[in-house]
Each structure stands twice: as C-alpha cells, then as structure tokens.
Amino acid sequence: MQTNGMSQKQKSKFSLFFIAIGMWFVNLFKAVGAYFTKIGKGIARFFVNVYKQFITGGWRTKISHFIMGLGHALLGRPIKAIIYLLMQVGYFIFMFIPGGGIYWLGKLRTLGTVAVEYTSECTMIPPVPIEECDPDFITYSKPIYKDNSMLIMLFGVATLIVTIGFLIFYFVQVKGVYQAEKTYVAAKKAYLNSGKEEKFVNPLPTFKEELNSLLNSRFHFTTMAIPTITITTFTVLPLIFMILLAFTNFNKHNGPPNKLFTWVGLQTFQNLFSSQGTNSFGQALGKIVQWTFIWAFFATFTNYIFGMILAMIINRRSIKAKKVWRTIFVISIAVPQFVTLLLMSQLLKDNGPLNFTLMQWGLIDKQIKFLTDPILAKVTVILVNIWVGVPYTMLITSGILMNIPNDLYESARIDGAGPVRQFMKITLPYMLFVTGPYLITQFIGNINNFNVIFFLTQGGPPTGHLGQATYGHTDILVTWLYALTVGGDKQEYAIGSALGIFIFLISATITLILYSRTSAAQQEGDFA
Amino acid sequence: METNNSVTVKEVTPKRKKQSIFKNQRVTRGIVDAFLYILLIVLCLIWIFPIVWLIANALRGESTGPVRYLFPKVLTLDNFKNLFTDTEMPYLKWFINTLIVATATSIISTIIVLLTSYAFSRLNFKGRKGLMKLLMILGMFPGFMSMIAIYYILKAVGLLPNENTPIVPVSNYLISLILVGTSGAAMGYLVSKGYFDTISKSIDEAAEIDGANKAQIFWHIILPLSKPIVIYTALTAFMGPWGDYIFVATITRGRTEAWTIARGLYDMINGGQEKLGRYFTLFCAGSVLISIPITALFVFMQRYYVSGVTGGAVKG
Amino acid sequence: MFKRKRLALLLVGLFAMAGCTKPTPSTSNDSVDPGTSVTKERIRLQVWGPIEEKPLYEKHAKEFADLNPQIEFRVDYGNVGEPEAAANILADVSTAADVFLYPDDQIFQMADKGVLAKLPAGYANKIKERDIDLAVGAATYDVDGEMYGFPVSADNGYFLVYNKKFFNEEDVKTLEGILAKTSPEHQFAMDMGNGYYALSFIQYISNISYNPLTELHTTDFNDAKSVAALQAVSDLIMPLKDKGFTSEDFNGAVLDDLTDANDNRIIAGVTGHWNTLNVLERLGDDFGATKLPTFKVGEEEVQMGSFLGSKLVGVKSSSNYLPYALAFADYITSEAAQISRFELNGWGPTNKNAAANPAVTANIGLKALSEQAPYAIPQGKSVGGLFWSNAGTIGTFLLDGPTPDGPQTLQAALDAFVTAITTK
C-alpha cells in the first residue's frame, strides 16, 4: 500500500514504470520467439511420431492410414469405423465435386483470372435469336460473371479450414487405431497365453462405453463440440477472410462484380500508415488513435467513478427507498441504446429542443453547438456516455460495495478518519482490486464503443481532412472503420481490414498486458 | 472474496469526547442526507428526462416530425394505434420476429455459455488455458467486414436467397439471425465461469464419490446453485437482438416482413428527411412499446443481474 | 460418439450443399421455341423501390401481364428506398433486383461497376423522344455517352416558398424584397450550413462539374464574379442573422412555425418539392411557391440557381430476364404510368406530355419547380462527394463570417474551397 506520495517517490515510480514497460516488451519478444520455436519443434515431433506410428503399428494401423476407420472395424468396433469412413467419403465428395474444394483452392493463389465476359442478347419481346433480332434491340454488353475474387477468397479459406478439420480427425483416428491395436494385440496375446479358459473379451471400449465417457471423462468434448463448429464457421472463417483481405487491394476500383482484386503483400498496410502527401491515411490514423485513447480513458474513468459515487450514495445506511432509486436509473438502460442515442442526437441539435428551451428561458442567447463544435462535440459524447453507462456501473459497484466488511469502516471511524479518507483508503483500493478485470474489459470496450459516437455525431463534425481518408472530430477507430467500408461509398475494404487488424492488435495487447498484471487473474482457478 | 488486510489507517487524530461526536454526527448526517436526497432527485430527473421526452413525443398529436419544443400541445394515442395499422411499417410483425429471435437466442446461448463455462471451470483438459485466451481475444476484431462473409456463408448453406431461389420464407431469415446470434455465445464465458469458480469444488467431489458423472453434476447440482448467473446470462442474451440492426440490414435487404424491430425503427427515421418528418412520432411510440417488456424484465431481474455480475465479472 | 456421428453427417450435408451452390453462369431461362407457345414461360421479376410505390407496381404488373399474354408474369416487390439502391445491389449482384429505382447521382458508381444495363438503341431513342432534356441528361453516363436508366421523375429540387399573407408577388422576386418584409418575429429560413443550399446563389451564373472517375471537380466558383456575388449575399444576410434570416433546415419544427399557431415565426424559406404537401397542410390557401429570387450585385440582378435531381429506373445488366425487365421498366416509366404515379404519390413526371398535363401544372410545388428548372443544375453531374461539406463551410462563412482559425476573407475561403474540391 502506498504511503503518502512524496514527489520524489512518485517520480522514481514513473521511471520504474517505464522501465517495467520496456522490460515487458523485451520479455514479450523473447516469449514470442520461444513460443514459435516451441511450435516448430512440436510440429517436427508430431510428424516424427506419425512416421513412427506407421512403421511400428500393426497391419490394421497401416490400413487405417488409407481407409479411415477400417482399423476399428477390424478390431470389432464397427460403429466407430462407419463414422470415420463417412467422414472420409464426405470430405472427398466435398473436395472433388464440381465447384467443390479443389476448384476454390486452385484459384486462391491468383484470386481469379477473368472477372466477367460480355455476351450479346436480343431484348425484343418475345425474344428471338440474335440473327433475326432488330439491331436496335440487341445489347452487346450483357455480363456473364466468372471469377469473383471475394468468393474465391472466402470459399478457398473455407476449404482450407475444412481440410484442416478433416486432417485433425484423420490423425486422431490413426492414433486411435494405433493405440487400440496395441491394446487389443496385447490382450489377445495374454488371452492366448492364459490358456483360452473363458471367452476372449475385447478390451476396447464399446460404443456405449464411449458414449458414456463423453458424458464424463470427455464431457469437455461434448460441451465444446457445437460451439467449436459454430465459432469456426461464423467467427473464425470470416476473421481469417478479413485478415487476408488486408493483403489485397480490394477497393472501389478493384473488386467484384466486374473487376478482380489480387494479392499485394504489405502494400495496403503501407498505405494505411503512410503520412505522405495531404489527406493521407497515416495522418488521419494518428489523430484518430489519439482521440480514441483519450475517449476510452475518460469514458471508462468517468463512468466508473460516478457510478461508484452514485452507488455509495444510494447504499448509505440513512438513505431510504434504495430500490426505488435504483429502479429509476435502471429504466434508462432498458430502452435500447440506439433509441436513446438517436433521441439524444435530436435533442442536442443546434436548433433542437434543448437549445430552444434554454434560449426561451433566457439562459443563453446563442445556440450551443453541442454536436457540431469540434471541442464541444467531444465533451458532449463523453457526457452522454456517462448518461448511458452510469446505471450499469452503479449496479455493479453496488453489489460489491455491500460486500466490504463494515468493521473496516468502524475501526477507521474510531480512529477518527473522515469520509473522504475512508473512501481513499478502504473503498477505492478494494473496488479497484475486485473490479480490475471489469475495468479492463470496459476500457477495451470503450476503445471499440461504436454505438455512442455513431448515433450521436456519426463521427463528425468534419475535419479539414479530405479524400478517401476523411474523418470527423469525434471519430474513433471503429467509427472510422465503418465509414471506410460499409457506411458509405468509399469501399476501401482492404484498408478497412488492415485497420481492423490494427484495432485488434491494440485491444488484444492491452488486454493481455493489463490482465496478466491484475492479481485476480493470477489467482485464476488452478488445478492442483 | 478477499478482504484487503493490508489496509490500515495510519494517522491518529486527537481524541474527542464520545458524546459530542455523537451529537455532531447526527446533525451532520441529517444535513448531508438532505443534500444527498436533493442530489438524487436531480440526478433521477436527468436520467429519466430523455425517457419522458420519448413518451411525450409518442403521445404528441399535432405533428409527426421532430419539433423544437419539449412538451406536446395535443395528446393522442394515435401514434400507438398507427403502429399496428400502418401498412408500410408492419410493426407487429417486426415485434413478433424479434421476440422469436430473442427468445430462441436466449435459450440456446444460455445453454451453450453455461456448458462452456462449466467445462472451463471444472474440467481440466488439454489446451484449456489456451482455448480460454483464444476465445477471449476472438471477440476483439471489429465485425463489419465479417458481416459480408457471413452473408455469403449463409447464402452458400442455402438459408438466404440465391439465383435459383430468389425468394425464401421469412423463417429462413429468423433462423439465420438465431444461428449467427448464438454461434459466438461461447466467447462470453468470462462472467459465468467466474461465477462457477466461486462454487466450492468439494460439492463436485462429493457427488463424484456418489457415482455421478460430470454431466449429471452439471445438471443436477451446479445449475440449481446458479440461478443468478443463469438469469443474468439469459437476460443479456435476450436483450441483444432488440438492438441489432446493421447485421439484420445486411442479410434481409428489401424483405420488410423479415425485419426485426431495430431495423424497422431505424428505417423510420433514416430514410431521409421526408421519412423522418413523417415517422418520428411513430418511431417514438414504437420505442416506448418495446421498452416496456424489457424494462419489466430488467426491474424484476435486477437482483439476479447484480449478483450474477458481481459474482462473476469482477473476479474473472 | 453419438454427437460425432451427428456432426459428421451434418458436416457432410453442409459441405455438399456448399459445394452444390457455386455460382453458375447466368443463362437465360427461356427455352421457348419461337412459334410454338404451348407452355407459357414464367417470368418472375424482382423489383426494388420505396414502400409507398408498392401498390403502383402491383397495378402495373397486372397491366403488363395483360399486355403480354404469352408469358406468365409476376413481380416480387422489395422495400429498398432509392438512396440505398446502389449499396444493396453492389453487395450481392447475383440476388439483386432486376428492376429498381435509383437517384441520378448513383449512376456513376453503378455504371462503373457494370451492374446497370446499357439501354439498346431502340429504348434509348424512345426516351430521348418522350422525356425532358434534363432527365435524358441525368440518365446518361458521361464516360461513354450511353443511357443507363429510364427517367421516372425529376422533382428533387428546391424553390422559394412563402406565406401569401406577408408577401405579394412583387416582393418575392428579389431577395432584398423578401428580407425587407422579415423581422426577428417573422423570419426567412434557409439552411446555410448545408452544401445543398449554401452555394445556390451562384450556381446559375458560375460553373461547376464533376468527374466521377477522378472524383475531382472543375469550377470557377472562386473567380471575380462569383466572389462579388457571394460577397453581396453575405453583406445582405449577415446583419440580419437571426433577426430576419435564420439558418435552419426546413423540417417538422420549422414547418410548424409557418402556422398561425406558432405566430408565423417563419414566413418564407427555401425548401424542396418533398415538402410541398407538408407546407400545403400548414398554409392552405396562403401557400405561395415560385422560382428562387434574384439579388443585386452592384448594378446587376443575379438569379439564384439550384439543384435538380431526378430518379431513374435501372435494370440489372446480368438479369436472367433481361428482355422483359427492360420492357417492364419501359412500361412503368411511360406517360400513362407517370400520370398515375403523380396521382398516387405526387411525383413530378419527366415525360414531356405528362409534365404539360393540367393536373400536374396545377400542383404548386411542381409549377415552382418548372419555373426554377431553367436555372437548376443537374445534381448528379455537377457535384460529388467532396462538394457537400466544403460548400456547407462556405455557407456558414457567408452568414457568420470567418472563424478564428480559418480563412479570414471570402476570397481566401473560396480559394480553399476550390482547392479542396479540385485537387487530391
């Protein structure tokens, strides 16, 4: 616990802090390097094992390398065998039917060669063959779409993922057969040696026993199976798709339906970070990152402190009707965010009701540009965010506050500590300790807080920065990303993907740094 | 739950007589309380005001667009009536769509999250820690580009229209929304896992000795002890579909009958100035109507919501 | 095991489905032998447009089916407002509508991407004959001079509206005359911060055009005559700011302020045909509308310009039913169709005959629009992306004067504006 901060100690704390960060980065690089070496070694070891398995396994194991599941069938477990066999057949169908996996994989390297071909058609009613058609009604530019770079990317990656999934099952199957054969052969040997008194009992688990283990020792598999599939399909696949897009030149001029895009390596990243020329992406990015962090810090900090203070007020022993107060604040959460935010944006317009009423009451004589003045807009979004977020933080801190043992406060009061001192020495440290991870998630969440800023200002008011990289004074990274890709006409999809990766790296890095430092995380359920 | 044993107050202030402390304290407390009550009232007004304005707009009768004064001059229930009779804005259909999607998403998500969190909390398996970290950061990518990818995935699976079937039944869209809404449920394991962590493992061990398998322990022992977190999870999952409109817009495009409430309300005020002028009060009425059930849910479940979050979120 | 089997089957099923739905080259479904029409061909068109047009399209679909008994014709209508047309079509062309409504400023992005059907000469000539020049120009893609849409309405423009109780016909001919009759209690409303209106003062006397390929403009908005004109405007309106001239968007609140109930806080303003019905509702017989006024620059009278945008019906270039889509689009933009559209929704027609129809000319807003039309510039071809916010900045400058950290003179501000929209 800190003693009364003396400026010297604070100063050295600062430099210690920076040294710690620096050391942390060095350690990070070391760890990443070690991690990749571990992976490399692991992969090498894996293939060596596979090879060994093939050599030392019985004939059943060897067959199972080519026909999945056959080994199990020969070991007396037909149901398991059928399942694996179906998997193999399914995979081959998937890959080799026309328009199947192989088709997409083949195009993945080039992302397509011909986007569209044009043909002629007669547009008379009713249509007649071209030769007989009135020349004034022939169109020569009817497109026949061929390669769609985006679909090639998506389905190509999907094929890769399916293949990886299949390979996982394949190697699991091979290993399974290998071990099963070993057990079986050993048991058979023991049986033969023992003199064949009773009937031979197959030592391998029956289908029913396997089912049971799925509910017990392998319950984790059962619970994780479906989420794994859905997450792979709807999160991981689009994610890889998006990451790969950042290495292409997909934008307004290079993209489906009538143009292809192609791999450009790190060119898109270069474009995103370059500050050359006016209206560059890099310049915009720098400014937006600054504001994003300022915003995230203030948004998190204000919500937390005010929520806590509000909770403390309501929790105070002498305040009555606690539930009533809490309910009133909770009502503001219940209305969906985009409704309240849209209302706020109407309310705070330059010529909207709030300004009008204030002018009517004579409190101001000129409209306050809540959402259109560059600096004021920033303040307004933070204030509105307080309105949106304090009920939540109030609820959460409420519950925790009630858990702080009262005797701590009692002893403090007896020792003569006033309320402020009690807050600083007891309440605040306790809260920070317990809600550490929550604060981190909130901070990251605010870095990516799309709703509040989008619905209030759409990122505006506009700055002088023009061209494709244009942005507004309240734009944070995600709202800028939206404007660049889906939210308008810019269609800068490749840049958008690169930006998305950038945002992710920031969020993930911060999470991992801060998370590993909070003691709560360090005490995560350890299994003895 | 830790107590911070290292906290001690170091200073010692000069002692006062015990009786005067009492009297002074009572008076001070009274003044402070009065001040706090006033503060609370002011704050409540600030927080409730936009909602009041919403309701006021919904009841406004003299015009349908946004106005500059705060309180309506003519009160009417027409806006609410129009919600159900306007042919261009089939509010009731949207409401039902959203209700279906929200309920299904809530149920399925809750089951998935709880099972996943249970696995992370109780079952020690290879790759557990790695998987947890992976799931935690998977959600950190901004989602806009993935919406297009998901659109094409759904189209390839046959749920969305393609060239051979330009029109698909509305249920396809709802299924898509439910499917995508629940697909990532497991990534939200953090809070429920934290909650499960606070349940002592000795209960599990006792049950195992009695012969229960892991699945049975989950259903019959852990779940009944976890009412707050079940309700919290179900509630938060239920709230999601009411506010999502970007994804709905991406996959439904022109199919008005397949829209959810958020998409419909958004259309009312975002189709340009004309639409805003015509539909603003309708928008407010529609928003009021959907807020009622959500508010009710929230208010009644407040208790569980709080204990769920504090039990789980803060310890991680 | 149990789950695995289900999963395996599910996987196989899913992937089989995925594999089966690769994009097939779009071929025409017509396999009709010319001459033997025993089985009727089934033509099912997807049509996108705003929801208020749905009844009209259903009516037209029936009429079109009656006109073409050799096919089984059907229309599926989707609610996609014209501002969202391009985004929705480009998102997934293969499932986009065959026939759809779009605003003229989206012709660039869609023609550039090749999703609009180029009109064969037969249709193009038809349109050039029957529709007004402005509409024909709007439907033409400047890069190759071909037509890519069927004009359906050209009423997206603005004009002057006023309360006849406060103005007579002479007053509203000049800006000075209008402002002479205003006061802090009865003001003139024009949204100066909106690039749509801000530079209308010089849009007739000066030139601006937009090249969508380079996304740059060509303009003389900062030459001497433009600067002089805008300076005159600024000198006129700045002293009257909030005392007779107010910069506000003509929306619900301002509309209500036209009425006696709100003490006629607003007695005149600049707004467009989309508000004609709204203003008519409030002012009734006191509703006056006419072309925008002139203003004095030195000794000359300068006429205010404006924008005029039009709506077009486009046909998807890769439509499976291209001949019928084109024919249907042609049908729903013909003279009779435009008249019924006017009767149903009040849209101003582009068809020459329809525009001369007495019912149309009786409409106050459309009449004002046609008075202003000679001084209007086509929105889609004249300005593009960078214009709007930059023009709004100039508008604010005219009314409020310079900001501390911006250009200090009108010339400097206009120079900055021109640089912004003519260079990258």
Side-chain angles (χ1 to χ4, degrees):
Chain A
M1 218 66 275
Q2 296 132 307
T3 53
N4 285 333
M6 287 170 279
S7 53
Q8 238 182 353
K9 281 213 171 149
Q10 273 182 346
K11 256 196 232 156
S12 63
K13 266 210 157 50
F14 251 174
S15 36
L16 273 179
F17 181 69
F18 278 116
I19 294 178
I21 293 270
M23 285 299 297
W24 191 91
F25 267 110
V26 168
N27 285 334
L28 177 69
F29 281 120
K30 276 201 222 156
V32 168
Y35 189 67
F36 277 114
T37 354
K38 204 163 71 158
I39 292 186
K41 281 199 198 144
I43 293 183
R45 216 178 312 134
F46 171 75
F47 279 110
V48 165
N49 275 341
V50 167
Y51 175 72
K52 266 202 230 154
Q53 243 173 229
F54 186 76
I55 300 292
T56 61
W59 58 277
R60 297 183 192 84
T61 311
K62 293 192 171 56
I63 290 192
S64 296
H65 279 77
F66 303 103
I67 304 181
M68 272 172 75
L70 198 53
H72 283 296
L74 296 168
L75 289 171
R77 292 288 170 261
I79 302 186
K80 209 165 169 176
I82 295 179
I83 293 180
Y84 278 123
L85 196 59
L86 279 177
M87 227 181 266
Q88 184 171 9
V89 169
Y91 178 72
F92 278 110
I93 294 181
F94 166 76
M95 289 295 276
F96 292 105
I97 53 173
I102 295 291
Y103 173 80
W104 298 109
L105 271 186
K107 294 200 179 279
L108 199 52
R109 189 181 66 81
T110 57
L111 290 178
T113 44
V114 173
V116 62
E117 270 172 12
Y118 294 101
T119 175
S120 318
E121 184 170 332
C122 178
T123 61
M124 285 177 67
I125 309 284
V128 298
I130 298 262
E131 311 79 58
E132 306 166 25
C133 190
D134 177 347
D136 271 349
F137 282 91
I138 301 183
T139 173
Y140 296 99
S141 50
K142 171 142 188 209
I144 307 279
Y145 292 114
K146 297 254 172 257
D147 291 333
N148 182 322
S149 300
M150 187 168 61
L151 292 183
I152 292 177
M153 176 86 92
L154 182 63
F155 293 135
V157 171
T159 309
L160 281 177
I161 292 185
V162 167
T163 305
I164 294 179
F166 172 73
L167 286 177
I168 292 180
F169 277 109
Y170 173 76
F171 284 117
V172 161
Q173 178 260 162
V174 156
K175 186 163 181 197
V177 171
Y178 175 73
Q179 287 175 334
E181 190 168 33
K182 244 169 69 180
T183 326
Y184 184 84
V185 163
K188 198 73 184 267
K189 223 184 194 171
Y191 171 74
L192 289 171
N193 283 346
S194 74
K196 301 192 194 184
E197 287 136 22
E198 299 136 9
K199 214 160 158 252
F200 173 68
V201 167
N202 193 330
L204 300 176
T206 64
F207 190 62
K208 205 153 133 206
E209 283 164 3
E210 298 246 23
L211 278 185
N212 273 331
S213 80
L214 276 181
L215 290 177
N216 206 7
S217 55
R218 292 195 288 169
F219 191 44
H220 58 275
F221 185 80
T222 323
T223 56
M224 298 293 195
I226 295 197
T228 309
I229 295 187
T230 56
I231 290 185
T232 310
T233 316
F234 292 107
T235 309
V236 174
L237 173 55
L239 195 61
I240 300 183
F241 169 74
M242 193 198 83
I243 294 179
L244 289 179
L245 276 188
F247 296 94
T248 67
N249 58 356
F250 189 7
N251 63 14
K252 196 190 287 213
H253 306 292
N254 302 308
N258 61 345
K259 298 240 178 60
L260 305 164
F261 58 80
T262 184
W263 302 103
V264 290
L266 293 175
Q267 182 62 45
T268 306
F269 286 97
Q270 267 184 313
N271 289 345
L272 177 61
F273 292 110
S274 113
S275 321
Q276 281 179 337
T278 49
N279 303 325
S280 61
F281 279 101
Q283 221 180 8
L285 185 65
K287 286 273 161 80
I288 297 178
V289 167
Q290 273 177 28
W291 163 242
T292 307
F293 273 97
I294 297 178
W295 149 262
F297 174 73
F298 277 108
T300 317
F301 180 69
T302 52
N303 278 11
Y304 186 68
I305 291 291
F306 288 132
M308 187 167 18
I309 294 182
L310 188 60
M312 280 169 48
I313 295 179
I314 299 184
N315 270 1
R316 208 173 136 91
R317 237 179 316 164
S318 41
I319 299 281
K320 311 278 194 324
K322 295 196 196 316
K323 206 148 183 223
V324 171
W325 298 115
R326 285 206 201 102
T327 308
I328 295 186
F329 285 102
V330 162
I331 289 183
S332 71
I333 312 181
V335 181
Q337 237 184 29
F338 87 96
V339 171
T340 44
L341 290 171
L342 281 170
L343 271 183
M344 291 283 200
S345 72
Q346 287 291 326
L347 196 64
L348 295 169
K349 263 167 116 146
D350 286 350
N351 52 0
L354 189 59
N355 267 323
F356 181 67
T357 317
L358 288 177
M359 288 212 285
Q360 259 197 337
W361 291 348
L363 290 173
I364 56 174
D365 47 29
K366 222 166 79 137
Q367 297 162 339
I368 305 181
K369 290 175 168 284
F370 289 110
L371 298 172
T372 45
D373 173 83
I375 300 192
L376 205 49
K378 292 180 169 146
V379 174
T380 311
V381 292
I382 294 181
L383 289 178
V384 173
N385 186 58
I386 294 181
W387 185 92
V388 166
V390 157
Y392 284 106
T393 46
M394 188 255 308
L395 281 184
I396 290 175
T397 46
S398 232
I400 305 173
L401 279 175
M402 296 199 275
N403 281 329
I404 304 182
N406 252 323
D407 31 302
L408 277 181
Y409 288 111
E410 279 302 324
S411 45
R413 206 172 303 129
I414 291 175
D415 285 342
V420 176
R421 180 141 242 130
Q422 287 176 34
F423 176 73
M424 296 295 294
K425 295 276 188 207
I426 304 179
T427 322
L428 198 52
Y430 184 86
M431 293 294 301
L432 283 176
F433 174 76
V434 175
T435 55
Y438 172 75
L439 273 179
I440 298 172
T441 14
Q442 285 299 97
F443 184 72
I444 300 289
N446 274 322
I447 290 183
N448 291 324
N449 190 345
F450 179 77
N451 280 356
V452 173
I453 296 194
F454 178 72
F455 287 115
L456 277 183
T457 59
Q458 288 88 54
T463 59
H465 200 94
L466 308 166
Q468 288 290 92
T470 185
Y471 67 101
H473 277 107
T474 52
D475 257 323
I476 54 176
L477 289 168
V478 277
T479 58
W480 191 44
L481 174 59
Y482 179 81
L484 281 175
T485 54
V486 184
D489 191 31
K490 298 221 177 53
Q491 299 176 44
E492 288 283 359
Y493 297 117
I495 298 244
S497 294
L499 184 60
I501 297 179
F502 180 69
I503 297 177
F504 164 75
L505 284 178
I506 293 184
S507 310
T509 313
I510 296 184
T511 307
L512 290 175
I513 296 183
L514 295 179
Y515 197 72
S516 60
R517 286 204 154 270
T518 58
S519 23
Q522 279 160 6
Q523 292 171 28
E524 197 271 326
D526 288 318
F527 287 96
Chain B
M1 185 175 46
E2 330 279 320
T3 54
N4 216 332
N5 291 318
S6 52
V7 174
T8 47
V9 177
K10 291 230 164 106
E11 291 84 299
V12 176
T13 52
K15 292 199 171 189
R16 298 198 200 100
K17 291 214 207 124
K18 278 269 169 101
Q19 299 103 323
S20 346
I21 298 181
F22 238 13
K23 235 202 272 182
N24 279 346
Q25 277 192 337
R26 235 188 301 145
V27 171
T28 350
R29 199 184 308 148
I31 298 179
V32 172
D33 278 357
F35 168 70
L36 287 179
Y37 274 118
I38 298 179
L39 184 62
L40 274 179
I41 295 182
V42 168
L43 288 179
C44 275
L45 284 178
I46 298 181
W47 252 266
I48 282 295
F49 171 69
I51 316 292
V52 168
W53 194 55
L54 177 70
I55 303 180
N57 272 318
L59 294 171
R60 174 151 50 92
E62 65 270 16
S63 62
T64 54
V67 291
R68 55 164 69 229
Y69 47 87
L70 286 174
F71 293 106
K73 306 199 174 136
V74 174
L75 289 178
T76 172
L77 284 178
D78 271 351
N79 292 318
F80 289 96
K81 210 171 22 141
N82 286 341
L83 278 176
F84 298 100
T85 57
D86 193 314
T87 46
E88 296 179 10
M89 301 277 175
Y91 186 81
L92 191 58
K93 216 173 275 188
W94 296 339
F95 193 86
I96 295 180
N97 285 348
T98 319
L99 199 59
I100 296 178
V101 171
T103 315
T105 307
S106 173
I107 297 178
I108 301 179
S109 284
T110 309
I111 297 178
I112 294 183
V113 165
L114 291 177
L115 279 174
T116 315
S117 310
Y118 174 73
F120 282 139
S121 169
R122 289 302 202 255
L123 310 173
N124 193 10
F125 54 93
K126 202 159 77 154
R128 188 183 70 103
K129 282 217 159 135
L131 199 56
M132 287 203 315
K133 282 219 183 76
L134 182 66
L135 283 184
M136 187 161 65
I137 63 177
L138 263 187
M140 287 189 193
F141 275 90
F144 303 121
M145 284 308 297
S146 50
M147 289 194 202
I148 293 287
I150 295 180
Y151 168 82
Y152 279 105
I153 296 175
L154 289 171
K155 187 176 163 194
V157 176
L159 278 172
L160 293 182
N162 54 39
E163 305 99 63
N164 302 322
T165 44
I167 305 282
V168 295
V170 171
S171 52
N172 276 31
Y173 293 101
L174 299 185
I175 293 179
S176 306
L177 287 175
I178 298 175
L179 186 57
V180 177
T182 54
S183 68
M187 295 194 286
Y189 70 88
L190 202 62
V191 175
S192 8
K193 171 182 174 296
Y195 189 88
F196 285 143
D197 279 346
T198 62
I199 301 180
S200 163
K201 295 215 171 61
S202 45
I203 302 183
D204 288 51
E205 288 159 17
E208 257 187 271
I209 295 177
D210 285 345
N213 66 25
K214 294 277 198 295
Q216 287 166 328
I217 297 180
F218 176 73
W219 277 116
H220 300 295
I221 301 183
I222 301 292
L223 265 195
L225 285 178
S226 315
K227 207 153 80 140
I229 201 62
V230 173
I231 296 187
Y232 168 79
T233 313
L235 196 57
T236 28
F238 186 77
M239 301 267 291
W242 296 92
D244 161 48
Y245 83 92
I246 302 187
F247 182 60
V248 177
T250 310
I251 64 172
T252 54
R253 297 207 272 173
R255 203 76 150 77
T256 320
E257 307 92 50
W259 284 0
T260 58
I261 277 285
R263 177 69 184 96
L265 288 178
Y266 189 75
D267 193 55
M268 281 188 197
I269 60 176
N270 235 62
Q273 275 297 107
E274 313 158 45
K275 266 204 170 134
L276 180 62
R278 242 189 309 158
Y279 289 116
F280 183 69
T281 46
L282 204 65
F283 168 83
C284 294
S287 308
V288 169
L289 274 192
I290 60 172
S291 306
I292 297 181
I294 299 183
T295 312
L297 270 178
F298 236 102
V299 168
F300 287 128
M301 304 299 181
Q302 206 190 107
R303 185 161 51 108
Y304 297 108
Y305 184 85
V306 174
S307 54
V309 169
T310 55
V314 295
K315 291 290 287 302
Chain C
M1 277 311 264
F2 189 66
K3 284 262 160 63
R4 259 202 240 170
K5 177 164 153 198
R6 271 224 206 124
L7 285 176
L9 288 174
L10 182 66
L11 284 172
V12 171
L14 279 178
F15 299 134
M17 274 200 279
C20 287
T21 54
K22 75 164 172 47
T24 49
S26 79
T27 50
S28 196
N29 280 17
D30 355 44
S31 46
V32 176
D33 284 325
T36 61
S37 42
V38 177
T39 47
K40 277 200 199 180
E41 210 184 323
R42 297 186 67 216
I43 308 285
R44 197 171 171 177
L45 290 185
Q46 259 206 78
V47 177
W48 281 351
I51 194 70
E52 56 261 24
E53 288 259 287
K54 186 167 178 194
L56 195 63
Y57 275 86
E58 286 170 352
K59 172 163 156 299
H60 287 320
K62 238 186 280 167
E63 292 167 6
F64 188 80
D66 293 337
L67 282 176
N68 289 284
Q70 76 277 18
I71 55 169
E72 231 183 270
F73 184 74
R74 197 179 131 175
V75 157
D76 291 309
Y77 195 78
N79 176 11
V80 176
E82 68 273 7
E84 283 117 38
N88 275 297
I89 293 186
L90 292 173
D92 184 9
V93 180
S94 60
T95 56
D98 301 290
V99 175
F100 49 90
L101 196 70
Y102 71 96
D104 62 346
D105 53 8
Q106 284 179 10
I107 194 174
F108 304 121
Q109 40 171 319
M110 290 204 280
D112 184 45
K113 287 268 178 206
V115 298
L116 285 175
K118 186 181 347 190
L119 264 45
Y123 285 111
N125 293 335
K126 237 175 149 184
I127 294 179
K128 287 180 188 153
E129 254 183 58
R130 75 183 188 196
D131 283 312
I132 59 178
D133 290 339
L134 182 91
V136 173
T140 309
Y141 182 45
D142 288 333
V143 172
D144 61 2
E146 303 276 352
M147 296 194 65
Y148 284 86
F150 294 82
V152 67
S153 83
D155 58 10
N156 192 11
Y158 51 88
F159 40 80
L160 178 72
V161 302
Y162 60 94
N163 189 331
K164 281 194 180 152
K165 276 204 303 218
F166 292 84
F167 299 93
N168 58 40
E169 279 184 22
E170 278 307 304
D171 299 324
V172 293
K173 286 209 174 128
T174 67
L175 191 55
E176 293 84 356
I178 297 175
L179 291 176
K181 294 263 174 97
T182 60
S183 65
E185 293 80 33
H186 305 293
Q187 305 206 47
F188 174 86
M190 179 173 172
D191 194 355
M192 291 302 288
N194 186 341
Y196 191 52
Y197 305 101
L199 295 176
S200 54
F201 303 99
I202 55 172
Q203 275 168 216
Y204 177 60
I205 58 167
S206 303
N207 304 299
I208 184 166
S209 65
Y210 180 64
N211 182 340
L213 288 181
T214 60
E215 293 175 338
L216 297 175
H217 298 75
T218 313
T219 179
D220 58 6
F221 272 21
N222 61 344
D223 71 357
K225 104 171 145 343
S226 311
V227 178
L230 288 175
Q231 188 63 57
V233 171
S234 186
D235 294 337
L236 185 59
I237 64 179
M238 211 191 300
L240 290 174
K241 178 172 175 193
D242 295 329
K243 301 200 184 79
F245 184 100
T246 173
S247 171
E248 287 176 58
D249 178 51
F250 231 89
N251 61 14
V254 173
L255 285 168
D256 289 337
D257 285 345
L258 285 168
T259 60
D260 294 335
N262 284 19
D263 304 320
N264 307 111
R265 186 184 76 90
I266 303 291
I267 55 175
V270 175
T271 186
H273 182 57
W274 56 86
N275 261 337
T276 298
L277 284 179
N278 291 328
V279 179
L280 190 59
E281 232 180 85
R282 270 88 172 168
L283 289 181
D285 287 330
D286 292 331
F287 181 15
T290 183
K291 69 164 179 59
L292 292 173
T294 62
F295 57 97
K296 243 193 165 60
V297 181
E299 292 303 315
E300 286 183 36
E301 289 288 339
V302 170
Q303 167 65 46
M304 278 178 75
S306 64
F307 283 116
L308 190 56
S310 36
K311 298 201 194 119
L312 307 163
V313 170
V315 172
K316 187 170 77 170
S317 55
S318 53
S319 166
N320 287 336
Y321 307 109
L322 193 58
Y324 288 101
L326 284 170
F328 186 64
D330 176 45
Y331 182 77
I332 61 178
T333 57
S334 62
E335 178 184 337
Q338 290 200 7
I339 301 262
S340 20
R341 187 172 287 106
F342 165 74
E343 284 164 3
L344 179 66
N345 283 327
W347 291 17
T350 56
N351 183 291
K352 290 181 192 159
N353 295 339
N357 188 301
V360 174
T361 48
N363 182 299
I364 301 183
L366 289 176
K367 183 151 160 300
L369 261 186
S370 57
E371 287 173 18
Q372 178 65 23
Y375 315 109
I377 54 176
Q379 184 180 329
K381 299 199 190 263
S382 309
V383 296
L386 293 173
F387 176 84
W388 304 108
S389 53
N390 287 300
T393 315
I394 299 292
T396 314
F397 189 100
L398 292 177
L399 186 61
D400 294 341
T403 56
D405 54 346
Q408 294 300 306
T409 66
L410 184 56
Q411 179 74 60
L414 282 171
D415 288 336
F417 165 74
V418 169
T419 312
I421 65 174
T422 55
T423 53
K424 268 199 155 162

